Amino acid sequence: MATPDNFIVAIEIGSSKVTAIAGKKEPDGGIKVLALAQEPSTTFIRKGRINNINKMSQCILNIKERLEKKLQKNICRVYVGIGGMGMHTVANTIVRNLGSKMEVTQEMIDSISDENRSSATPDRDILEAIPQEFKLGTQLQNEPVGMLTESIEGRYLNIVANSSVKEEIRNCFHSANVAIADLPITVQALADTMLTESERRSGCVFIDMGAETTSVAVYKNNLLRHLATIPLGGANINRDIMSLQIEDDEAEKLKLMYGTAIADNEDETQAAAIQLNDGRSVKFEEFCGLVEAREEEIVMNINNQITLSKYTKESLIGGLIVTGGASNMRNIKKLFETVTGFDKIRFVRNINLQVRPPKDVPDFNRDGSFFAAIALIDKGTENCCGGDLGTAQPQIFPTEEQKAEEERKRLEEEERLREEERKREEEEAERLRLEEEQRLAEEKKKKRSEGFRKFFNKMKKTLGDLVEEKE
C-alpha cells in the first residue's frame, strides 16, 4: 500500500535509545504506524540531556534515512519530545489592581499571562505555563472572563528547564538539516494517553520510570499541580550491579532475571549463588542488596516529590499510576506501598489510543519503548511529509554562503541604522540649538521691553509730579 502524503513524525530522545515513529491519525482517533526506527543513545545522551551534538546529529540523520526509505517519502519536519534532568515546575503569581470594579476581559487575562511568561530568567526557559486559578477579590475562579472585580491575581504553574536544553536540541536538528515542528513535553504527552479522566479529576501521581531519569507528575482537578524529573533510573541499578565486575549487558540480564525491589526471604530457590558468564558466582543476598538499595532510593525520591507537591494520599484518590521500563521489577508494587503509603497503585502497560502497527512488525512495542513516540504523534497537528522520495527539497537552513550573505546584509543594515541614528541625533542637536537661540532672543526682547516699560513709567511719574507742583 502506498504511503499517504499526510503523516506525522515524532522523535523521543531517551537515555538508552532514540525512538522515532511516522504515523497517520485516522478518522476514528486511532494511529496507524507507517514506519519506525530506534538507535542506541547511551554514548551521547546522559539523563535525558544531549552531551555530544555530533553523535546526536548523526543519529537523527540515520533515523530520518531509515524512515524515509520505508515511507518512500521525504520528511520535512518532526515533533521532538522534550524532557530530561532538571525539568521541574515553579509556581508564580501575577497581581493586577484595577482601582475600581471592572469586567474582566480576555485581553486582561492575556496580558497577565504574557507578564507571567516574561518572568523567565536568562538561565531558565518556561517550556509551558499552566494557569491554576484566578483570584478575583476573595473568590477563586477558573474562568474569570466576564466577571466583575477590583483586582485579579493570576496563579500559574510554569514548567521550566535549563535554557540550554532547547538550544542543544535545535542545534542537533539544525546540523542534521531537519526542521522541528514543535517540542511537546514528553511526560505530559504520556500522561494524556495513560491517565483516565477520573484519575486526573480526583487526583493522582503519574510516574514514568526510565533508564536514567524518573518523572513525577501530580494531577488534581484535571490540572497539573507539580512536576519534577529525578536523575535516577534503571541504568543506575545496572551500574550498581557492574560494581561486581559484571559487564553492562549481563547486568541488565541478571537484573531482569533475579532483581527484586524487596527480597522475598521465603523464596529459597533464589538463595543459591548467581552464576556469571565467566564462571564466577555472586551471592544472591549481595546481588539483591544492591538492587534493593537503589530501588528504595528511587522510590523515596518519588515520595519526596509527592510531599513537595503538598498533596496527600487522602487528596489523591486516583492513587499512583506507574509506567516505564524501569518499573518492570519484581515486588515493585510492594516497595511503593511500603514507602509511599499508597494502596491504590496501577501499572500501565498500554495507552488509551488505538494503535495499528505495521503488519511486518509482529512484536511491535512489546517492551513499551514506543509509547512516548506514539503519544507525541497524538499531540502533532502539522503534516511532516515533504513529497516523494528523491524529489528536490528546499534548503531548510541556510548554507555557509547564505549565512555569509545574510551576515553582510545584517552588518550593512546595522550601519544604515547607525547612520540614520547619527543623522537624527544631529538634527535633534540642531533643533535644540535653534530653540535655545530663539529662547535667548525672546528673553533679550522681553528684557528690552521690560526696560522700556520701566523707563516710560518713570517718565510718566516724573511728569505727573511736575504737574502737581505747578498746580
Side-chain angles (χ1 to χ4, degrees):
M1 182 180 293
T3 301
D5 291 328
N6 194 321
F7 55 79
I8 296 170
V9 178
I11 296 179
E12 182 216 359
I13 302 174
S15 299
S16 61
K17 48 186 162 292
V18 175
T19 303
I21 286 183
K24 178 177 175 59
K25 291 184 180 181
E26 301 200 305
D28 63 354
I31 294 176
K32 183 177 182 180
V33 178
L34 304 172
L36 53 96
Q38 278 187 330
E39 293 270 331
S41 62
T42 53
T43 60
F44 55 89
I45 303 293
R46 179 69 172 165
K47 298 189 184 301
R49 295 281 301 275
I50 299 167
N51 62 13
N52 189 311
I53 290 179
N54 291 335
K55 288 186 177 181
M56 180 65 200
S57 300
Q58 186 58 51
C59 174
I60 296 166
L61 288 172
N62 294 343
I63 283 176
K64 182 174 181 283
E65 182 180 351
R66 289 170 60 187
L67 293 179
E68 289 181 334
K69 184 177 180 181
K70 176 68 176 177
L71 296 166
Q72 287 298 297
K73 301 285 184 182
N74 289 312
I75 295 171
C76 62
R77 63 178 63 87
V78 297
Y79 286 84
V80 184
I82 192 168
M85 178 180 64
M87 188 172 68
H88 64 284
T89 50
V90 176
N92 190 36
T93 301
I94 304 296
V95 179
R96 292 283 177 86
N97 292 311
L98 305 179
S100 61
K101 189 163 285 190
M102 298 174 62
E103 180 182 346
V104 178
T105 64
Q106 187 60 52
E107 289 73 19
M108 290 181 186
I109 300 303
D110 291 343
S111 176
I112 292 173
S113 297
D114 290 342
E115 185 176 342
N116 171 66
R117 278 280 188 179
S118 67
S119 65
T121 59
D123 61 333
R124 293 283 177 185
D125 280 339
I126 296 179
L127 305 179
E128 186 174 344
I130 304 170
Q132 300 293 287
E133 58 262 323
F134 294 88
K135 187 177 181 182
L136 309 181
T138 59
Q139 297 181 1
L140 291 177
Q141 298 288 336
N142 291 327
E143 298 180 358
V145 175
M147 303 194 71
L148 297 174
T149 185
E150 294 181 354
S151 64
I152 308 174
E153 184 179 296
R155 299 176 180 178
Y156 294 86
L157 190 70
N158 296 328
I159 301 177
V160 303
N162 192 293
S163 56
S164 63
V165 172
K166 276 188 177 182
E167 183 181 355
E168 291 163 358
I169 294 174
R170 293 188 188 281
N171 286 343
C172 290
F173 280 83
H174 188 150
S175 298
N177 199 40
V178 178
I180 296 176
D182 196 11
L183 292 163
I185 297 172
T186 303
V187 65
Q188 276 193 301
L190 266 176
D192 288 345
T193 60
M194 290 185 170
L195 298 180
T196 66
E197 183 67 24
S198 174
E199 288 168 338
R200 293 168 66 93
R201 183 178 61 256
S202 61
C204 67
V205 184
F206 179 72
I207 303 163
D208 180 24
M209 303 180 72
E212 291 193 336
T213 59
T214 297
S215 296
V216 183
V218 178
Y219 288 86
K220 182 71 176 180
N221 296 330
N222 291 316
L223 288 174
L224 179 70
R225 303 295 184 172
H226 180 80
L227 173 66
T229 300
I230 302 165
L232 294 170
N236 295 90
I237 301 173
N238 286 15
R239 284 192 280 271
D240 291 342
I241 296 172
M242 290 167 64
S243 68
L244 300 173
Q245 306 305 311
I246 299 173
E247 291 296 326
D248 189 20
D249 291 344
E250 188 176 5
E252 174 69 17
K253 182 180 177 181
L254 293 174
K255 179 181 72 174
L256 297 175
M257 187 178 299
Y258 299 106
T260 177
I262 296 180
D264 189 350
N265 294 328
E266 297 179 359
D267 192 352
E268 296 180 359
T269 60
Q270 299 287 357
I274 299 172
Q275 299 300 314
L276 306 180
N277 291 340
D278 60 5
R280 293 181 298 124
S281 63
V282 175
K283 290 183 179 180
F284 178 74
E285 293 82 359
E286 183 180 4
F287 178 88
C288 283
L290 291 173
V291 176
E292 281 183 71
R294 184 64 73 178
E295 283 283 12
E296 184 178 10
E297 180 187 14
I298 294 172
V299 176
M300 287 180 70
N301 272 274
I302 292 171
N303 189 55
N304 181 55
Q305 290 301 324
I306 298 172
T307 302
L308 291 175
S309 76
K310 298 180 181 179
Y311 286 92
T312 64
K313 66 176 182 178
E314 288 76 21
S315 60
L316 300 172
I317 302 171
L320 308 183
I321 294 84
V322 188
T323 191
S327 67
N328 296 315
M329 176 73 70
R330 192 160 59 92
N331 287 336
I332 187 73
K333 183 178 181 181
K334 185 177 179 181
L335 178 61
F336 270 110
E337 291 172 342
T338 302
V339 175
T340 68
F342 281 80
D343 51 13
K344 188 175 183 180
I345 303 173
R346 180 168 72 92
F347 287 84
V348 184
R349 306 301 180 209
N350 213 330
I351 56 179
N352 300 326
L353 290 172
Q354 182 65 43
V355 180
R356 299 177 177 91
K359 293 181 179 179
D360 58 348
V361 187
D363 60 345
F364 170 75
N365 204 33
R366 183 170 294 176
D367 60 353
S369 61
F370 284 95
F371 281 149
I374 294 169
L376 292 171
I377 285 181
D378 188 53
K379 291 290 182 186
T381 56
E382 292 187 40
N383 182 17
C384 298
C385 180
D388 293 333
L389 190 63
T391 57
Q393 293 293 297
Q395 181 67 30
I396 298 173
F397 301 106
T399 62
E400 291 302 319
E401 292 78 8
Q402 289 171 329
K403 287 180 181 178
E405 179 64 17
E406 288 178 1
E407 180 65 11
R408 184 186 66 78
K409 289 181 179 179
R410 185 185 67 80
L411 292 174
E412 287 181 353
E413 179 66 11
E414 287 182 355
E415 180 61 29
R416 184 184 67 80
L417 293 173
R418 280 195 296 269
E419 182 64 20
E420 289 182 355
E421 181 65 21
R422 185 183 64 78
K423 288 181 178 179
R424 281 196 296 269
E425 289 175 355
E426 289 178 353
E427 290 172 356
E428 179 67 12
E430 180 65 13
R431 184 184 67 80
L432 293 173
R433 186 185 68 78
L434 293 173
E435 286 182 354
E436 181 65 13
E437 286 183 356
Q438 185 176 2
R439 185 185 67 80
L440 293 173
E442 290 290 338
E443 286 184 358
K444 186 176 181 180
K445 183 178 179 181
K446 186 178 179 181
K447 286 180 179 179
R448 288 179 63 189
S449 298
E450 185 68 22
F452 281 124
R453 187 170 61 254
K454 288 181 178 179
F455 174 76
F456 284 119
N457 287 338
K458 185 176 180 181
M459 289 294 295
K460 183 179 179 182
K461 185 176 183 303
T462 301
L463 291 173
D465 291 343
L466 289 173
V467 170
E468 288 180 358
E469 288 177 3
K470 185 176 181 181
E471 290 177 349

